[in-house]
Every structure is written in C-alpha cells, then in structure tokens.
Coordinates of all heavy atoms in Angstrom, one line a residue:
E761 N 9.1 6.6 6.1 CA 8.4 7.9 6.0 C 7.1 7.6 5.2 O 7.0 6.6 4.4 CB 9.3 8.9 5.3 CG 9.7 8.5 3.9 CD 10.5 9.6 3.2 OE1 11.0 10.5 3.9 OE2 10.8 9.5 2.0
I762 N 6.1 8.5 5.3 CA 4.8 8.4 4.7 C 4.9 8.3 3.2 O 4.2 7.5 2.5 CB 3.9 9.5 5.1 CG1 3.7 9.5 6.6 CG2 2.5 9.4 4.4 CD1 3.2 8.3 7.2
P763 N 5.8 9.1 2.5 CA 5.8 9.0 1.0 C 6.2 7.5 0.6 O 5.8 7.1 -0.5 CB 6.9 10.0 0.6 CG 6.8 11.0 1.7 CD 6.5 10.3 3.0
E764 N 7.0 6.8 1.3 CA 7.3 5.4 1.0 C 6.1 4.6 1.0 O 5.8 3.8 0.0 CB 8.4 4.9 1.9 CG 9.8 5.4 1.7 CD 10.8 4.8 2.7 OE1 10.3 4.4 3.8 OE2 11.9 4.7 2.3
F765 N 5.3 4.7 2.0 CA 4.0 4.0 2.1 C 3.1 4.3 0.9 O 2.5 3.5 0.3 CB 3.3 4.2 3.4 CG 2.0 3.4 3.5 CD1 2.0 2.1 3.9 CD2 0.8 4.0 3.2 CE1 0.8 1.4 4.0 CE2 -0.4 3.3 3.2 CZ -0.4 2.0 3.7
D766 N 3.0 5.6 0.6 CA 2.1 6.1 -0.4 C 2.5 5.5 -1.8 O 1.7 5.1 -2.6 CB 2.1 7.6 -0.5 CG 1.4 8.3 0.7 OD1 0.6 7.6 1.3 OD2 1.6 9.5 0.9
R767 N 3.8 5.5 -2.0 CA 4.3 4.9 -3.3 C 4.0 3.4 -3.4 O 3.6 2.9 -4.5 CB 5.8 5.2 -3.5 CG 6.2 6.6 -3.7 CD 7.7 6.8 -3.7 NE 8.3 6.0 -4.8 CZ 9.7 5.7 -4.8 NH1 10.4 6.2 -3.8 NH2 10.2 5.0 -5.8
A768 N 4.2 2.7 -2.3 CA 3.9 1.3 -2.3 C 2.4 1.0 -2.5 O 2.0 0.1 -3.2 CB 4.4 0.6 -1.0
R769 N 1.6 1.8 -1.8 CA 0.1 1.7 -1.9 C -0.3 2.0 -3.4 O -1.2 1.3 -3.9 CB -0.6 2.6 -0.9 CG -2.1 2.6 -1.0 CD -2.6 1.2 -0.7 NE -4.0 1.0 -1.1 CZ -5.0 1.0 -0.2 NH1 -4.8 1.2 1.1 NH2 -6.2 0.8 -0.6
K770 N 0.4 2.9 -4.0 CA 0.0 3.3 -5.4 C 0.3 2.1 -6.3 O -0.5 1.8 -7.2 CB 0.8 4.5 -5.8 CG 0.5 5.0 -7.2 CD 1.2 6.3 -7.6 CE 0.9 6.7 -9.0 NZ 1.6 8.0 -9.4
L771 N 1.4 1.4 -6.1 CA 1.7 0.2 -6.9 C 0.6 -0.8 -6.7 O 0.2 -1.5 -7.7 CB 3.1 -0.4 -6.5 CG 4.3 0.5 -6.9 CD1 5.5 -0.2 -6.3 CD2 4.4 0.6 -8.4
L772 N 0.1 -1.0 -5.5 CA -1.0 -2.0 -5.2 C -2.2 -1.5 -6.0 O -2.9 -2.4 -6.6 CB -1.2 -2.1 -3.7 CG -2.4 -3.0 -3.3 CD1 -2.3 -4.4 -3.8 CD2 -2.6 -2.9 -1.8
D773 N -2.6 -0.3 -5.9 CA -3.8 0.2 -6.6 C -3.7 0.0 -8.1 O -4.7 -0.3 -8.7 CB -4.0 1.7 -6.2 CG -4.4 1.9 -4.7 OD1 -4.9 0.9 -4.1 OD2 -4.2 3.0 -4.2
Q774 N -2.5 0.3 -8.6 CA -2.3 0.1 -10.1 C -2.5 -1.4 -10.5 O -3.2 -1.6 -11.5 CB -0.9 0.5 -10.5 CG -0.7 2.0 -10.4 CD 0.8 2.4 -10.7 OE1 1.7 1.6 -10.7 NE2 1.0 3.7 -10.9
E775 N -2.0 -2.3 -9.7 CA -2.2 -3.7 -10.0 C -3.7 -4.1 -9.8 O -4.2 -5.0 -10.6 CB -1.3 -4.6 -9.1 CG 0.2 -4.5 -9.5 CD 0.4 -4.9 -10.9 OE1 -0.2 -5.8 -11.4 OE2 1.2 -4.1 -11.6
L776 N -4.4 -3.6 -8.9 CA -5.8 -3.9 -8.7 C -6.6 -3.3 -9.9 O -7.5 -4.0 -10.5 CB -6.3 -3.2 -7.4 CG -5.9 -3.9 -6.1 CD1 -6.3 -3.0 -4.9 CD2 -6.6 -5.3 -6.0
E777 N -6.2 -2.1 -10.4 CA -6.9 -1.6 -11.5 C -6.6 -2.4 -12.8 O -7.5 -2.7 -13.6 CB -6.4 -0.1 -11.7 CG -7.1 0.6 -12.9 CD -6.7 2.0 -13.0 OE1 -5.9 2.5 -12.1 OE2 -7.1 2.7 -14.0
R778 N -5.4 -2.9 -12.9 CA -5.0 -3.7 -14.0 C -5.7 -5.0 -14.0 O -6.2 -5.4 -15.1 CB -3.5 -3.9 -14.0 CG -2.9 -4.8 -15.1 CD -1.4 -5.0 -14.9 NE -0.8 -5.8 -16.0 CZ -0.9 -7.1 -16.0 NH1 -1.5 -7.8 -15.1 NH2 -0.3 -7.7 -17.1
A779 N -5.8 -5.6 -12.9 CA -6.5 -6.9 -12.8 C -8.0 -6.7 -13.1 O -8.6 -7.6 -13.8 CB -6.3 -7.5 -11.4
G780 N -8.6 -5.7 -12.6 CA -10.0 -5.4 -12.9 C -10.2 -5.1 -14.3 O -11.2 -5.6 -14.9
G781 N -9.3 -4.4 -15.0 CA -9.4 -4.1 -16.4 C -9.4 -5.4 -17.3 O -9.9 -5.4 -18.4
K782 N -8.7 -6.4 -16.8 CA -8.6 -7.6 -17.5 C -9.7 -8.6 -17.2 O -9.7 -9.8 -17.6 CB -7.2 -8.3 -17.2 CG -6.0 -7.4 -17.7 CD -4.7 -8.1 -17.5 CE -4.5 -9.2 -18.5 NZ -3.1 -9.8 -18.4
G783 N -10.6 -8.2 -16.3 CA -11.7 -9.1 -16.0 C -11.4 -10.1 -15.0 O -12.2 -11.0 -14.8
Q784 N -10.3 -10.0 -14.2 CA -10.0 -11.0 -13.2 C -10.9 -10.8 -12.0 O -11.4 -9.7 -11.7 CB -8.5 -10.8 -12.8 CG -7.5 -11.1 -13.9 CD -6.1 -10.9 -13.4 OE1 -5.8 -10.8 -12.2 NE2 -5.2 -10.9 -14.3
T785 N -11.1 -11.9 -11.3 CA -11.8 -11.8 -10.0 C -10.9 -11.1 -8.9 O -9.9 -11.6 -8.7 CB -12.3 -13.2 -9.5 OG1 -13.1 -13.8 -10.5 CG2 -13.1 -13.1 -8.2
L786 N -11.4 -10.0 -8.4 CA -10.6 -9.3 -7.4 C -10.8 -9.9 -6.0 O -11.8 -10.6 -5.8 CB -11.0 -7.8 -7.4 CG -10.7 -7.1 -8.7 CD1 -11.2 -5.6 -8.6 CD2 -9.3 -7.1 -9.1
P787 N -9.9 -9.6 -5.1 CA -10.1 -10.0 -3.7 C -11.4 -9.5 -3.2 O -11.8 -8.4 -3.5 CB -8.9 -9.5 -3.0 CG -7.8 -9.3 -4.0 CD -8.6 -9.0 -5.3
A788 N -12.0 -10.3 -2.3 CA -13.3 -9.8 -1.7 C -13.1 -8.6 -0.8 O -13.9 -7.7 -0.8 CB -13.9 -10.9 -0.8
Q789 N -12.0 -8.5 -0.1 CA -11.7 -7.4 0.7 C -10.2 -7.2 0.8 O -9.4 -8.2 0.8 CB -12.2 -7.6 2.2 CG -11.9 -6.4 3.1 CD -12.4 -6.7 4.5 OE1 -12.6 -7.9 4.9 NE2 -12.5 -5.6 5.3
I790 N -9.7 -6.0 0.8 CA -8.2 -5.8 0.9 C -7.9 -4.9 2.1 O -8.6 -3.9 2.3 CB -7.7 -5.1 -0.4 CG1 -7.9 -6.0 -1.6 CG2 -6.3 -4.7 -0.2 CD1 -7.4 -5.4 -2.9
R791 N -7.0 -5.4 2.9 CA -6.5 -4.6 4.0 C -5.0 -4.4 3.8 O -4.3 -5.3 3.4 CB -6.7 -5.4 5.3 CG -8.2 -5.7 5.6 CD -8.3 -6.5 6.9 NE -8.0 -5.8 8.1 CZ -6.9 -6.1 8.9 NH1 -6.1 -7.1 8.6 NH2 -6.7 -5.4 10.0
V792 N -4.6 -3.2 4.0 CA -3.2 -2.8 3.8 C -2.6 -2.2 5.1 O -3.2 -1.4 5.8 CB -3.2 -1.7 2.7 CG1 -1.7 -1.4 2.4 CG2 -3.9 -2.2 1.4
G793 N -1.5 -2.7 5.4 CA -0.8 -2.3 6.7 C 0.6 -2.0 6.5 O 1.2 -2.1 5.4
S794 N 1.3 -1.5 7.6 CA 2.7 -1.2 7.6 C 3.4 -1.8 8.7 O 2.8 -1.9 9.8 CB 2.8 0.3 7.7 OG 4.2 0.7 7.9
M795 N 4.6 -2.3 8.5 CA 5.4 -2.7 9.6 C 5.9 -1.5 10.3 O 6.2 -0.5 9.6 CB 6.6 -3.5 9.1 CG 6.3 -4.9 8.5 SD 5.9 -6.1 9.8 CE 7.5 -6.4 10.5
L796 N 6.1 -1.5 11.6 CA 6.7 -0.4 12.3 C 8.0 -0.9 12.9 O 8.0 -1.6 13.9 CB 5.8 0.1 13.4 CG 6.1 1.5 13.9 CD1 4.9 2.1 14.7 CD2 7.3 1.6 14.8
E797 N 9.1 -0.6 12.2 CA 10.4 -1.1 12.5 C 11.4 0.1 12.7 O 12.5 -0.1 13.2 CB 10.9 -2.0 11.4 CG 10.0 -3.2 11.2 CD 10.3 -3.9 9.9 OE1 9.9 -3.4 8.8 OE2 10.9 -5.0 9.9
V798 N 11.1 1.2 12.1 CA 12.0 2.4 12.1 C 11.4 3.4 13.1 O 10.3 3.9 12.9 CB 12.1 3.0 10.7 CG1 13.0 4.1 10.7 CG2 12.5 1.9 9.7
P799 N 12.2 3.8 14.1 CA 11.7 4.8 15.1 C 11.1 6.1 14.5 O 10.2 6.6 15.1 CB 12.9 5.0 15.9 CG 13.7 3.8 15.8 CD 13.5 3.3 14.4
A800 N 11.6 6.5 13.3 CA 11.1 7.7 12.7 C 9.6 7.7 12.5 O 8.9 8.7 12.5 CB 11.8 8.0 11.4
L801 N 9.1 6.5 12.2 CA 7.7 6.3 11.9 C 6.8 6.6 13.1 O 5.6 6.9 13.0 CB 7.4 4.9 11.4 CG 6.2 4.7 10.5 CD1 6.2 5.7 9.3 CD2 6.1 3.3 10.0
L802 N 7.4 6.5 14.3 CA 6.6 6.7 15.5 C 6.2 8.2 15.6 O 5.2 8.5 16.2 CB 7.4 6.4 16.8 CG 7.6 4.9 17.1 CD1 8.8 4.7 18.0 CD2 6.4 4.3 17.6
Y803 N 6.9 9.1 14.9 CA 6.7 10.5 15.0 C 5.8 10.9 13.8 O 5.6 12.1 13.6 CB 8.0 11.3 15.0 CG 8.8 11.0 16.3 CD1 9.7 10.0 16.3 CD2 8.5 11.7 17.4 CE1 10.5 9.7 17.4 CE2 9.2 11.4 18.6 CZ 10.2 10.4 18.6 OH 10.9 10.1 19.7
Q804 N 5.3 9.9 13.0 CA 4.4 10.2 11.9 C 3.1 9.4 12.0 O 2.4 9.2 11.0 CB 5.1 9.8 10.6 CG 6.5 10.5 10.4 CD 7.3 9.9 9.2 OE1 6.9 10.1 8.1 NE2 8.4 9.2 9.6
L805 N 2.8 8.9 13.2 CA 1.7 8.0 13.4 C 0.4 8.6 12.9 O -0.4 7.9 12.3 CB 1.6 7.6 14.9 CG 2.5 6.5 15.3 CD1 2.4 6.2 16.8 CD2 2.3 5.2 14.5

C-alpha cells in the first residue's frame, strides 16, 4: 500500500538529511522505486 512506500521514503529522506548535516558527500542523483509483487498495488498505480 502507498503508506508503506511513504514511510520507507521518509526513512531515506531522513538519512539524506542526516548525511548532509554531517557534511558528507551526497549521491549525485537519487532514484527511488518500488517492487511490484503484491496484486493490491496494481489498483494503486
């Protein structure tokens, strides 16, 4: 379901913010995707 993706994406954003705050070199570009393995997700495309 979409809320699961949103929660996972939020964790990624938090880690990016944390790394930036510590002065780490961030990835040049970030692409985020989802596996489609559960039929319910087809109805939330």
Side-chain angles (χ1 to χ4, degrees):
E761 59 177 14
I762 301 303
E764 285 180 333
F765 179 85
D766 288 343
R767 289 175 61 194
R769 178 61 193 257
K770 184 177 180 180
L771 291 175
L772 174 59
D773 291 339
Q774 289 173 348
E775 287 304 316
L776 286 167
E777 183 178 353
R778 179 182 184 277
K782 298 183 72 171
Q784 295 179 13
T785 302
L786 297 179
Q789 180 184 20
I790 294 182
R791 299 176 69 247
V792 184
S794 170
M795 292 284 289
L796 201 160
E797 302 161 285
V798 181
L801 203 56
L802 288 164
Y803 298 94
Q804 305 167 69
L805 280 178

